Amino acid sequence: MTNHSEAAGPLEPNEFVRPDGPARRPGGPVPRPGEQAPRTGDPFDEPVVTLRTPAELADALPYLLGFTPEDSIVLIALHGERGRFGGRVRLGVPERAEDWPCVAEQLAQCLVGGCERRGARPDGVVAFLCQEPVGAETGQQVVERLRPLAQVLRTACGRLDVPVFEVVCISQGRFWTYCCPDTRCCPPEGIPLLRPGTSVLAAAATYMGVQPGATQGEMRGRLTPWETAAATDQERALDAASLELLPRMLREAAEEAAQDEDPGEICESEESEESEESVAAETLDLARRIMARLDAAPSASGTLEADNRDDELIAHDEAAALIFGLQVPTTRDRAAEWMEGAEGPPALRLWRALSRRCVGAYAEYAAAPLALAGWVAWSLGDLAEGQEALGMALSADSRYAFALLLNRACNDDMDPESIRRCLRRKRAAHDGTAPRPGRRPRRSRSAPGVPRASGGPGKGPQSRRRLARRIARGGR
């Protein structure tokens, strides 16, 4: 569930937008068209842009959310006599109609509860249903199929004493309203959406330098695993990396557990004297080198070109090594420290690229790079991409605690600076403490629940993949 606060997204709509028609209350001081609202000491009473029709409401949606929603239920709170926009919540449309009443209740409670926590109970709601036809279905059939959902949304908000002033369905480039029975103004075939950028809100946003964000499909496309011929080569590289890295990862996990059990038993072995770097150190060093490579690359004209350029700069074996290394929670947490300043943008590009490389049977491995991409995007100020990436991480692995915690923090409107401060402290602590070279725990002690590495990681890639996920689940 996406719970946008009044400060979320690239545009603060409360300061200059209000829906005129659906939010009007009898006797309320509503200015005539073209007339400025009265000025008071309240900063929200500054001159506003008036949205007069459902078409303008539909056109405003990408500006209010920061992206163009697809297959979504969106509720937007209205405040005051003039209906200022407030909090927003978004959730995908459940496939099963029997789930709609429960989802409607949760959305209504989330929106109203979030507004109340910020000290402003909503006076009304505007709802949007966004879904494209499936198969031979038409937009008009989508509207009729979702009509019961519109009704349960109105009922759920009504139980909380918050009226729904308008429900707009958007499909196939047209919109319908469920609240107007007059076919003269709201025909059954729907009304074409305004040409993008032609509404009063679009003009005001352009004047302020604000542009609507990408669609959900475009954001997902930057994070979705390859389905091209290159995916086969990448999967082979992942299989090869599992043969090389899994025995070392298992051995290091066993040694750490044994040292935790009895840190006093340390031996000097021939292997430890070689001062061989751990998988974690190698992973972080490789990630830093690739980030520098990405940062030094010439800029590209568009997102597709930029992603293709980044993909060309990362070899299959490099991507495979990083994907496996990030399955260890402590390594992933160290990588999460690259979240701001000059490190943030190339780190985000790297995590996106690695998410695209989790192909075939390694789809579940995408939880780590997707969660990192979501965290860095959120930390850099792109809440929409952050929540989309975190949602995809949970789709890859619904129990991935790192993504669960970050997703909850986003939905609860937590300031990412509190997480950044914690990561800065951790970084300062481990940067000031050098590990002891050439000293490892005794080989003869196996960690409880961790398989011994002497016999290899198991037979076949499927067994190796299970072992790697067991390592990741050991401390995530």
Side-chain angles (χ1 to χ4, degrees):
M1 184 183 300
T2 302
N3 182 6
H4 293 277
S5 74
E6 291 158 332
L11 175 65
E12 173 48 71
N14 293 21
E15 296 182 358
F16 65 97
V17 181
R18 68 182 176 86
D20 186 40
R24 194 180 318 180
R25 297 288 189 86
V30 179
R32 290 187 294 275
E35 179 181 323
Q36 287 189 348
R39 299 177 66 94
T40 70
D42 186 340
F44 291 130
D45 286 334
E46 294 296 316
V48 295
V49 171
T50 301
L51 304 182
R52 299 180 177 87
T53 67
E56 290 180 333
L57 283 174
D59 182 72
L61 192 55
Y63 297 93
L64 298 173
L65 294 181
F67 62 95
T68 302
E70 299 172 349
D71 192 27
S72 296
I73 307 168
V74 181
L75 301 183
I76 301 178
L78 305 174
H79 297 277
E81 294 287 350
R82 291 180 292 135
R84 297 187 307 269
F85 285 130
R88 288 84 83 188
V89 295
R90 186 200 67 82
L91 189 67
V93 177
E95 293 183 3
R96 302 191 311 165
E98 52 264 37
D99 294 333
W100 292 352
C102 177
V103 165
E105 293 287 345
Q106 292 177 357
L107 281 170
Q109 292 173 6
C110 182
L111 178 67
V112 175
C115 291
E116 287 179 336
R117 285 194 298 272
R118 292 185 291 272
R121 181 179 175 82
D123 296 297
V125 170
V126 174
F128 297 86
L129 302 178
C130 309
Q131 192 172 74
E132 292 303 305
V134 178
E137 192 177 32
T138 65
Q140 190 170 349
Q141 289 172 327
V142 171
V143 174
E144 292 306 315
R145 177 168 52 81
L146 297 181
R147 188 176 294 276
L149 175 57
Q151 185 56 43
V152 296
L153 286 169
R154 299 178 73 180
T155 302
C157 292
R159 289 196 189 97
L160 300 176
D161 295 325
V162 179
V164 176
F165 292 117
E166 183 64 271
V167 184
V168 178
C169 182
I170 301 174
S171 183
Q172 277 192 321
R174 306 177 78 86
F175 75 89
W176 291 257
T177 171
Y178 290 107
C179 298
C180 179
D182 191 344
T183 57
R184 293 173 296 179
C185 61
C186 300
E189 65 273 15
I191 302 173
L193 292 169
L194 295 175
R195 189 161 54 89
T198 60
S199 68
V200 289
L201 176 57
T206 301
Y207 178 77
M208 296 176 63
V210 175
Q211 297 295 327
T215 66
Q216 284 183 276
E218 290 168 341
M219 287 189 288
R220 290 193 202 103
R222 306 192 73 182
L223 301 165
T224 300
W226 289 345
E227 294 182 355
T228 62
T232 302
D233 294 333
Q234 183 60 65
E235 190 165 10
R236 290 197 192 101
L238 287 162
D239 286 338
S242 70
L243 284 171
E244 177 189 355
L245 296 177
L246 269 179
R248 294 177 58 196
M249 293 168 67
L250 289 167
R251 182 172 61 244
E252 289 173 8
E255 290 170 353
E256 289 176 5
Q259 186 172 0
D260 290 341
E261 181 183 352
D262 190 353
E265 295 193 15
I266 302 293
C267 70
E268 301 275 354
S269 67
E270 293 182 2
E271 181 181 359
S272 65
E273 291 173 355
E274 296 175 357
S275 300
E276 183 180 60
E277 285 187 316
S278 68
V279 175
E282 292 175 358
T283 300
L284 295 171
D285 179 65
L286 177 59
R288 289 189 189 95
R289 287 188 279 114
I290 295 179
M291 284 166 55
R293 190 186 307 164
L294 296 176
D295 198 37
S299 60
S301 57
T303 57
L304 178 60
E305 292 78 6
D307 291 343
N308 289 339
R309 174 207 55 203
D310 290 348
D311 290 338
E312 292 173 358
L313 292 171
I314 305 173
H316 294 311
D317 58 341
E318 292 177 325
L322 289 177
I323 289 168
F324 267 92
L326 291 174
Q327 301 308 307
V328 179
T330 52
T331 307
R332 177 210 61 209
D333 292 347
R334 290 284 300 272
E337 296 167 0
W338 305 325
M339 72 236 167
E340 57 188 344
E343 293 176 327
L348 178 56
R349 290 164 58 185
L350 175 58
W351 308 143
R352 286 189 193 127
L354 294 182
S355 300
R356 297 191 292 268
R357 302 291 188 105
C358 295
V359 297
Y362 293 89
E364 190 179 2
Y365 283 49
L370 282 169
L372 286 169
W375 157 238
V376 177
W378 179 33
S379 178
L380 294 177
D382 192 339
L383 180 63
E385 181 180 356
Q387 290 179 315
E388 195 66 36
L390 291 170
M392 292 177 68
L394 293 174
S395 295
D397 185 351
S398 61
R399 296 181 294 166
Y400 200 65
F402 185 71
L404 282 168
L405 293 171
L406 287 171
N407 192 50
R408 185 180 305 166
C410 284
N411 290 340
D412 289 344
D413 285 336
M414 178 184 284
D415 185 349
E417 178 58 23
S418 59
I419 304 175
R420 286 194 291 260
R421 283 197 298 267
C422 178
L423 289 174
R424 289 187 202 112
R425 286 194 297 268
K426 291 181 64 177
R427 184 172 189 170
H430 61 63
D431 282 354
T433 305
R436 291 178 298 176
R439 299 189 66 83
R440 293 174 182 258
R442 186 189 299 272
R443 293 291 184 272
S444 60
R445 302 180 67 90
S446 296
V450 178
R452 299 174 67 93
S454 58
K459 296 181 179 180
Q462 185 175 1
S463 177
R464 294 194 298 273
R465 288 193 290 269
R466 284 198 298 265
L467 283 172
R469 297 307 300 156
R470 192 184 309 173
I471 295 172
R473 289 192 175 117
R476 65 184 178 182

